[in-house]
């Protein structure tokens, strides 16, 4: 069983500086109480209350000065030393940890590995479609079936539909979207299983532990990370429960934070890991898990859709996957390079569900889970440099998702395996890292010779082809030509035009979108959906959504872009409300309690004024079967 937030926080206070983590593990195990209930839910009235009252003016403070003052109170942090520190307990991070331990066991060697995960438990923040390829899993565990991996429903049939407002027309199925041999899964459950396997192999797996700072050596190389302080109030003052963070230092640090990682975004800028003019592009995936009537359930059926409800300028599409036990996972992905500031991805998802093709499936069923997460969509031309002195980027934090396939888990796991092979060779075989930082150039070379590179190179021109003046139609024509005939064998590479935030146009260019009211049966208001995520944040802590300039939203985003924050956020975090102190005007309110850690605000804010940082470890969504 994984350690709880309370256990690791108290263990941090007890652990002395040393190599390894045996005492930390023993302290945590001895102090651990009952595990957090995976099925816990935040009452709807609590979320509604937070949507009106839980904003905090602390976000407008000079947080750098506040944090410096807090650091002075804290004093020196305790230090834990490891061979490899891995930030993020998702498919990539856990695959890297497992591979490292397997290599060491095979040669009877010792390598100390820690995985820190901000979610309250492993898998709590994991959300995906998901219909996954099993190749990397088989590489790690050839007998995964016998070991009980939660891959229960093979994909048995594929369908592609083009939706108009009232009809669904069959379309040719691109070869990349063939799911024969794949499995429809809850990725959160798969990740939980991987976490258990990592612990069995001797990996120190610590959920409810938020990495908040990258540690650098004097020469600029990375030496590890620091976890954030717990028990800090919204004014950055220590509470009675204050527990200082710890430094986790390693010969190598692997960043596996997932899409748009809060540490990785700064690391890329600081170390110039991405070429000028190159950038990542993103989509927002919103999904629900339903239990449907048995007669409507077709185990193994996979359906993808294009068209309605999105207009011809907006990239995206829907998916419906029939899992086991009468469960169906369905969702809508909206490219965050959309132009219309009135567009609400959440409400587009409600329109998707109200389409007769979808609503007929859902009628008589019930919602089990809701969630949302940003996705990396840039492809090969958006990848940063993958290594740097002292570490490397793996998984979606680097950007290995194959957008035409609508899959990234297999590439995330494979990248973790490649990085682990290179790390093991450097640390154990070659004995590096004592006097000089390790540079994992071997990892990037392995990537260029891998299946990941091959498949991303083949589809590199498909996503940017949707930026032509023909919009969706032009992208569909090129995609058909490229996937069926060219298969990427062209001497050029399309580039993405602008970052997603810069694609947003002034509201004056568009008419407001009139979205139907939710019916409470198939479609729901946003706070009802958020209540199904189990999200929660300790209220008296620094707000983790920071504004660079407190005046920008009201002075710029509201008059020019019609307040897009309250539309692009799928959790009701941002609002423009009447300013009681200044009648006739609006003020910008942040309901940080509602945040489900999707990162959309950090990506899509047209002023780039919102900075998503980590709250206390363990806070955020508590996803189930996602």
């Amino acid at each position: 069983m994984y350690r709880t937030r309370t256990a690791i926080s108290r263990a941090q206070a007890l652990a002395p500086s040393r190599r390894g983590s045996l005492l930390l593990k023993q302290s945590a195990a001895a102090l651990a109480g009952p595990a957090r209930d995976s099925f816990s839910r935040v009452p709807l009235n609590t979320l509604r209350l937070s949507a009106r009252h839980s904003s905090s003016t602390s976000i407008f403070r000079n947080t750098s000065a506040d944090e410096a003052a807090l650091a002075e109170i804290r004093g020196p942090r305790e230090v834990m030393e490891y061979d490899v520190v891995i930030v993020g307990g998702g498919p990539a991070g856990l695959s890297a940890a497992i591979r490292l331990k397997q290599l060491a066991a095979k040669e009877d060697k010792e390598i100390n590995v820690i995985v820190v995960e901000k979610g309250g438990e492993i898998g709590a923040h994991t959300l995906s479609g998901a219909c996954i390829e099993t190749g990397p899993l088989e590489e790690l565990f050839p007998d995964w079936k016998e070991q009980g991996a939660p891959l229960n429903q093979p994909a048995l049939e594929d369908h592609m539909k083009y939706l108009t407002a009232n009809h669904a027309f069959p379309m040719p199925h691109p070869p990349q979207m063939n799911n024969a041999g794949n499995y429809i899964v809850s990725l959160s459950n798969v990740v939980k299983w991987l976490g258990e396997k990592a612990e069995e192999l001797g990996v120190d797996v610590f959920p409810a532990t938020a990495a908040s700072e990258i540690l650098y050596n004097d020469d600029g190389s990375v030496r590890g990370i620091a976890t954030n302080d717990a028990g800090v109030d919204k004014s950055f003052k220590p509470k009675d429960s204050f527990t200082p963070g710890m430094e986790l230092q390693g010969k190598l640090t692997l960043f596996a934070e997932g899409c748009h990682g809060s540490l990785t975004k700064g690391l890329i800028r600081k170390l110039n890991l991405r070429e000028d003019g190159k950038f990542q592009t993103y989509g927002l995936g919103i999904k629900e898990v339903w239990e449907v009537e048995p007669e409507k359930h077709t185990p193994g059926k996979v359906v993808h859709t294009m068209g309605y409800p999105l207009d011809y300028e907006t990239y995206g599409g829907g998916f419906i996957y029939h899992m086991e036990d009468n469960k169906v996972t369905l969702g809508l992905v909206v490219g965050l390079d959309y132009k219309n500031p009135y567009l609400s991805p959440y409400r587009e998802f409600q329109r998707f569900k109200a389409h007769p093709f979808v609503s007929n499936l859902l009628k008589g069923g019930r919602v089990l889970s809701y969630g949302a997460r940003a996705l990396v969509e840039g492809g090969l031309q958006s990848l940063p440099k993958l290594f740097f002195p002292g570490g490397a980027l793996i998984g979606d934090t680097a950007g290995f998702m194959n957008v035409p396939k609508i899959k990234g888990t297999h590439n995330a796991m494979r990248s973790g395996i490649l990085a682990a092979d290179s790390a093991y060779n450097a640390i154990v075989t070659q004995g590096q890292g004592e006097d000089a930082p390790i540079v994992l150039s071997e990892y990037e070379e392995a990537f260029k010779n891998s299946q990941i590179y091959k498949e991303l190179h083949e589809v590199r021109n498909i996503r940017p082809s949707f930026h032509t003046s023909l919009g969706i139609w032009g992208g569909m024509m090129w995609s058909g030509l490229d996937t069926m005939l060219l298969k990427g064998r062209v001497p050029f590479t399309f580039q993405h035009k602008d970052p997603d935030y810069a694609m947003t146009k002034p509201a004056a260019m568009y008419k407001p979108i009139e979205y139907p009211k939710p019916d409470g049966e198939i479609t729901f208001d946003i706070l009802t959906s958020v209540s199904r995520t189990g999200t929660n944040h300790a209220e008296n802590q620094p707000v983790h959504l920071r504004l660079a300039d407190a005046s920008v939203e009201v002075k710029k985003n509201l008059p020019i872009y019609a307040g897009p924050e309250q539309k692009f956020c799928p959790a009701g975090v941002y609002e423009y409300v009447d300013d009681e102190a200044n009648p006739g005007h609006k003020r910008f309110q942040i309901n940080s309690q509602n945040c489900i850690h999707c990162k959309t605000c950090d990506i899509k804010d047209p002023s780039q004024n919102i900075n998503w940082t980590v709250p206390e470890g363990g806070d955020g969504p508590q996803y189930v079967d996602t």
Side-chain angles (χ1 to χ4, degrees):
M1 179 177 292
Y2 301 113
R3 288 152 289 274
T4 64
R5 172 173 48 197
T6 302
I8 190 169
S9 297
R10 293 169 67 187
Q12 285 175 346
L14 295 174
S17 175
R18 58 185 164 66
R19 168 169 291 280
S21 63
L22 180 59
L23 181 56
L24 177 60
K25 294 188 75 175
Q26 290 173 337
S27 300
L31 293 167
R36 184 175 176 179
D37 182 3
S38 299
F39 293 85
S40 62
R41 290 288 179 266
V42 179
L44 180 59
N45 61 345
T46 302
L47 285 167
R48 290 189 185 280
L49 182 64
S50 74
R52 289 194 290 268
H53 300 295
S54 74
S55 66
S56 171
T57 55
S58 67
I59 195 169
F60 305 142
R61 297 167 59 91
N62 182 358
T63 53
S64 59
D66 292 325
E67 288 166 341
L70 182 63
E72 198 168 318
I73 295 170
R74 179 207 309 129
R77 298 185 184 102
E78 298 289 349
V79 176
M80 305 283 291
E81 294 185 353
Y82 284 86
D83 292 312
V84 182
V85 176
I86 299 176
V87 184
L94 290 171
S95 294
I98 288 167
R99 181 68 158 205
L100 284 164
K101 283 294 190 178
Q102 287 177 333
L103 291 170
K106 184 177 180 180
E107 298 186 356
D108 197 23
K109 303 286 187 179
E110 181 63 34
I111 188 166
N112 296 315
V113 182
I114 186 171
V115 174
V116 294
E117 162 59 38
K118 66 182 175 63
E121 61 182 26
I122 298 297
H125 290 181
T126 301
L127 181 141
S128 181
C131 191
I132 68 170
E133 298 182 10
T134 60
L137 180 62
E138 291 169 355
E139 190 171 347
L140 293 174
F141 300 105
D143 60 342
W144 58 265
K145 289 185 179 180
E146 291 75 11
Q147 292 202 43
L151 283 73
N152 304 316
Q153 181 56 63
L156 301 175
E157 53 183 275
D158 285 298
H159 302 270
M160 189 80 181
K161 301 286 185 180
Y162 185 86
L163 303 185
T164 62
N166 295 300
H167 298 91
F169 298 98
M171 292 178 62
H173 206 272
Q176 285 90 350
M177 297 177 74
N178 181 0
N179 284 289
N182 298 338
Y183 281 77
I184 303 170
V185 301
S186 157
L187 190 59
S188 63
N189 290 338
V190 172
V191 166
K192 287 178 186 177
W193 182 83
L194 287 172
E196 293 167 1
K197 293 299 163 186
E199 281 209 319
E200 289 173 9
L201 288 164
V203 178
D204 291 346
V205 180
F206 283 106
T209 306
S212 61
E213 179 185 347
I214 300 175
L215 306 174
Y216 295 94
N217 294 304
D218 291 340
D219 60 4
S221 62
V222 171
R223 76 166 185 270
I225 57 96
T227 65
N228 63 354
D229 300 320
V232 179
D233 70 17
K234 61 181 62 179
S235 298
F236 288 88
K237 299 293 190 297
K239 298 184 288 190
D240 291 342
S241 59
F242 177 72
T243 305
M246 298 185 68
E247 290 193 5
L248 301 175
Q249 299 185 9
K251 297 176 182 177
L252 278 172
T253 304
L254 302 181
F255 291 87
E257 296 182 285
C259 174
H260 203 66
S262 55
L263 293 183
T264 305
K265 64 187 181 184
L267 177 75
I268 289 173
R269 289 193 297 266
K270 181 179 177 68
L271 300 184
N272 298 314
L273 300 182
R274 183 171 277 123
E275 297 177 27
D276 290 341
K278 299 291 181 71
F279 43 82
Q280 187 57 262
T281 64
Y282 303 88
L284 174 60
I286 303 175
K287 71 169 282 184
E288 289 176 345
V289 179
W290 282 67
E291 182 180 36
V292 300
E293 295 176 334
E295 60 271 19
K296 298 179 181 179
H297 186 244
T298 309
K301 184 177 182 179
V302 174
V303 181
H304 292 104
T305 73
M306 295 189 68
Y308 185 88
L310 303 177
D311 61 35
Y312 82 98
E313 287 188 326
T314 305
Y315 180 85
F319 63 88
I320 304 170
Y321 302 156
H322 290 244
M323 306 168 74
E324 71 273 20
D325 300 329
N326 298 324
K327 288 188 291 188
V328 170
T329 181
L330 74 155
L332 183 72
V333 177
V334 180
L336 288 178
D337 55 355
Y338 66 81
K339 300 175 182 178
N340 186 345
Y342 289 111
L343 188 147
S344 164
Y346 176 82
R347 290 175 174 82
E348 295 292 337
F349 175 53
Q350 304 311 306
R351 293 209 298 175
F352 170 73
K353 290 190 296 175
H355 189 281
F357 178 72
V358 184
S359 63
N360 289 337
L361 170 66
L362 302 181
K363 285 178 181 176
R366 65 187 182 101
V367 187
L368 302 178
S369 295
Y370 164 81
R373 188 69 170 92
L375 312 169
V376 285
E377 291 193 343
L380 189 67
Q381 54 271 64
S382 292
L383 294 181
K385 186 177 180 180
L386 300 180
F387 69 96
F388 45 86
L393 307 178
I394 60 177
D396 275 356
T397 208
F400 295 129
M401 180 174 170
N402 185 324
V403 178
K405 270 189 177 183
I406 322 180
K407 288 178 179 60
T409 301
H410 65 298
N411 283 344
M413 294 180 69
R414 189 167 278 125
S415 72
I417 292 170
L418 293 176
D421 289 346
S422 300
Y424 184 83
N425 185 49
I427 295 172
V428 178
T429 305
Q430 299 176 10
Q432 296 181 28
E434 297 297 339
D435 301 318
I438 297 175
V439 179
L440 281 187
S441 54
E442 181 183 320
Y443 164 51
E444 186 139 348
E445 287 303 313
F447 159 70
K448 290 178 180 178
N449 292 313
S450 73
Q451 181 62 31
I452 309 173
Y453 184 92
K454 179 181 178 182
E455 68 173 67
L456 292 185
H457 184 268
E458 182 175 314
V459 301
R460 70 192 184 282
N461 286 327
I462 291 179
R463 177 65 178 90
S465 72
F466 286 83
H467 289 306
T468 69
S469 58
L470 293 176
I472 293 296
W473 299 110
M476 287 174 62
M477 287 188 288
W478 173 264
S479 298
L481 176 65
D482 204 7
T483 57
M484 300 290 186
L485 297 175
L486 301 176
K487 299 189 183 298
R489 296 189 295 265
V490 292
F492 53 82
T493 298
F494 296 149
Q495 299 298 323
H496 302 286
K497 290 184 177 180
D498 293 293
D500 293 337
Y501 69 85
M503 297 292 285
T504 310
K505 302 301 181 186
M509 299 175 62
Y510 295 88
K511 293 181 180 179
I513 301 174
E514 295 295 330
Y515 289 106
K517 291 183 179 180
D519 60 21
E521 178 187 359
I522 302 296
T523 61
F524 306 95
D525 67 85
I526 199 165
L527 293 181
T528 297
S529 292
V530 174
S531 72
R532 296 181 173 121
T533 68
T535 197
N536 188 49
H537 297 79
E539 290 211 22
N540 189 18
Q541 67 170 300
V543 175
H544 66 283
L545 303 160
R546 312 279 175 83
L547 300 181
D549 183 339
S551 67
V552 165
E553 266 65 27
V554 171
K555 289 184 178 179
K556 179 181 177 182
N557 283 9
L558 182 59
I560 298 177
Y561 301 105
E565 303 90 340
Q566 57 191 356
K567 302 178 183 69
F568 60 57
C569 175
V573 171
Y574 301 102
E575 290 183 292
Y576 287 88
V577 299
D578 293 334
D579 188 350
E580 301 88 346
N582 194 5
H585 294 81
K586 297 286 186 181
R587 63 179 176 85
F588 187 57
Q589 178 164 294
I590 299 175
N591 309 309
S592 57
Q593 176 70 250
N594 293 9
C595 181
I596 57 175
H597 298 201
C598 72
K599 311 293 182 68
T600 304
C601 55
D602 200 315
I603 296 166
K604 189 58 177 172
D605 172 20
S607 300
Q608 287 295 278
N609 193 46
I610 300 173
N611 181 32
W612 197 99
T613 65
V614 289
E616 284 193 7
D619 284 357
Q622 185 72 19
Y623 287 140
V624 177
D625 289 338
T626 56

